[in-house]
Amino acid sequence: MIRSPRPDFLVIGAPKAGTSALHAALRQHPEVFTTTPKEPKYFLCDDAPPPDWRGPGDRHSQQEWVWRWDQYERLFEGAGPDQLRGESTPFYLWSRSAHLRIAERLPDVRLIAVVRDPIDRAYSNWMHLWCDGLEPVGDFEEAFARQQDRMAAGWAPFWRYTGLGRYGEQLQHLYRHVDRERVLVLRYRELVEDPRAAVDRTCAFLGITPGLVDEIPRDNARAYVEPGWRPRVLGPVVRAGAQLGRFAPPQVWRRASVPLVAGLSGGPEAHRPKLDAAARERLLPHFADDIALLAELTGEDFGDWLSRESRGSFLERRQAVSEPA
């Protein structure tokens, strides 16, 4: 029997919560086939071109969205006859309309949602955009406070520092359309603290052989960009280039941007600071109710997310786990 070329599983979110690392780990598994590109974003569309997002770099990145069903199906044609097929678009968890499209098109698909402390996630999200030269505001809390204005101006989902981290609301909506048994909620800290067990848990959920992936790659963190003359001078150049980049193939601007983005940083030795405790405390009210909802939905305790202490980057956390007590 010939299978139709479509996914058996989706890694649906959340952005900056370890989805790239999990995708890369699953890609190593001989019983799994994953797409190129990693994030087709098909279910963010409705068999129509992507929305006309207008934030820095948004239109450039939209050139890579796969929005036609026949093109989406072709992404899976290279899979072996017995391989599970999957893709990873971390905005599916956030998108209510994606939930409906997935439920309609893929009634048997399995979904993997990776969730991370929402303040740490938002800080990492801001850091990603800031270090790429796309975020024009060099203060995280100030950028965080601009979400509503940016939404009104038509900026893409990746700029929603609050909304992307309200997993309770997202899962509550998803469960109305997809059976809970087909959704695995995995914590970011599992990927950090015991990556092999996290991958094996994912394999068990997908029904494939555990124990075949020995390590999980580190996440895709950027070199830290210190506030100062570099982002003041080069940041506007990067944003202008990204704006013009929509008129060229994506790979052209990507190659051209490498030296500019590298020039923003003081080098790999630049230290990425943790978010301070006072800032976390000020931001907690944006998420406390949703953290309670997530705990209710999953039956798990997420009380550690109410802490005043930031847990740091992926690399810092991995180092803390590996260091002897």
Side-chain angles (χ1 to χ4, degrees):
M1 180 178 176
I2 299 176
R3 300 185 298 167
S4 59
R6 58 185 61 188
D8 302 296
F9 72 89
L10 303 172
V11 179
I12 60 173
K16 305 307 297 180
T19 57
S20 293
L22 180 60
H23 179 94
L26 291 173
R27 195 181 189 97
Q28 299 175 49
H29 197 292
E31 297 168 22
V32 171
F33 173 88
T34 56
T35 61
T36 301
K38 164 188 168 264
E39 302 181 23
K41 300 185 175 72
Y42 173 78
F43 292 103
L44 298 179
C45 305
D46 192 13
D47 290 309
D52 186 24
W53 302 117
R54 300 178 183 181
D58 289 347
R59 291 180 178 175
H60 165 256
S61 67
Q62 284 174 274
Q63 295 183 77
E64 296 180 294
W65 290 34
V66 178
W67 57 270
R68 293 182 174 89
W69 180 248
D70 61 334
Q71 292 178 337
Y72 185 68
E73 285 191 314
R74 282 200 291 273
L75 297 178
F76 302 94
E77 289 179 346
D82 298 319
Q83 284 184 305
L84 280 189
R85 300 154 302 184
E87 59 112 327
S88 303
T89 297
F91 298 98
Y92 290 160
L93 179 60
W94 161 83
S95 172
R96 308 308 194 263
S97 57
H99 300 170
L100 299 175
R101 294 172 189 136
I102 290 168
E104 179 181 358
R105 286 273 195 176
L106 305 172
D108 300 315
V109 75
R110 288 186 171 267
L111 307 175
I112 303 164
V114 190
V115 296
R116 178 183 186 179
D117 177 314
I119 298 176
D120 285 350
R121 191 221 66 80
Y123 186 55
S124 180
N125 192 158
W126 168 82
M127 187 71 70
H128 177 118
L129 290 165
W130 168 252
C131 293
D132 271 1
L134 298 175
E135 169 60 76
V137 178
D139 178 82
F140 169 57
E141 285 190 88
E142 181 184 345
F144 187 97
R146 295 191 183 191
Q147 172 172 285
Q148 293 301 320
D149 291 340
R150 289 171 169 184
M151 288 169 57
W155 290 29
F158 200 33
W159 298 94
R160 303 188 185 201
Y161 298 139
T162 308
L164 287 171
R166 292 185 61 86
Y167 320 120
E169 293 176 352
Q170 296 161 12
L171 283 170
Q172 187 177 56
H173 184 270
L174 179 67
Y175 288 156
R176 293 180 189 139
H177 304 281
V178 175
D179 292 338
R180 293 183 185 219
E181 293 74 20
R182 292 195 286 111
V183 181
L184 173 66
V185 179
L186 192 67
R187 294 191 62 161
Y188 176 77
R189 76 177 188 189
E190 296 178 63
L191 293 172
V192 175
E193 295 173 2
D194 195 346
R196 184 176 299 182
V199 175
D200 282 351
R201 184 181 169 205
T202 304
C203 291
F205 170 73
L206 295 175
I208 56 178
T209 308
L212 299 184
V213 178
D214 293 329
E215 63 181 55
I216 188 166
R218 59 171 292 178
D219 73 347
N220 54 350
R222 270 57 175 169
Y224 177 58
V225 174
E226 296 274 3
W229 71 266
R230 293 174 184 271
R232 282 199 305 270
V233 173
L234 295 177
V237 177
V238 172
R239 292 189 286 277
Q243 183 77 1
L244 292 172
R246 74 183 191 271
F247 299 114
Q251 61 271 21
V252 172
W253 166 243
R254 191 169 291 114
R255 285 196 300 268
S257 68
V258 169
L260 286 172
V261 172
L264 287 166
S265 170
E269 72 281 356
H271 175 64
R272 171 181 169 175
K274 289 185 179 179
L275 185 64
D276 68 77
R280 276 191 61 90
E281 191 164 30
R282 288 189 292 269
L283 295 175
L284 275 172
H286 293 275
F287 300 104
D289 63 324
D290 190 76
I291 292 171
L293 175 59
L294 179 64
E296 179 184 341
L297 288 170
T298 62
E300 296 187 36
D301 181 8
F302 292 89
D304 55 310
W305 288 359
L306 300 174
S307 168
R308 296 177 74 248
E309 296 302 319
S310 173
R311 291 155 188 80
S313 68
F314 183 91
L315 184 58
E316 289 172 319
R317 293 174 65 160
R318 285 297 299 270
Q319 288 174 336
V321 169
S322 61
E323 289 174 358

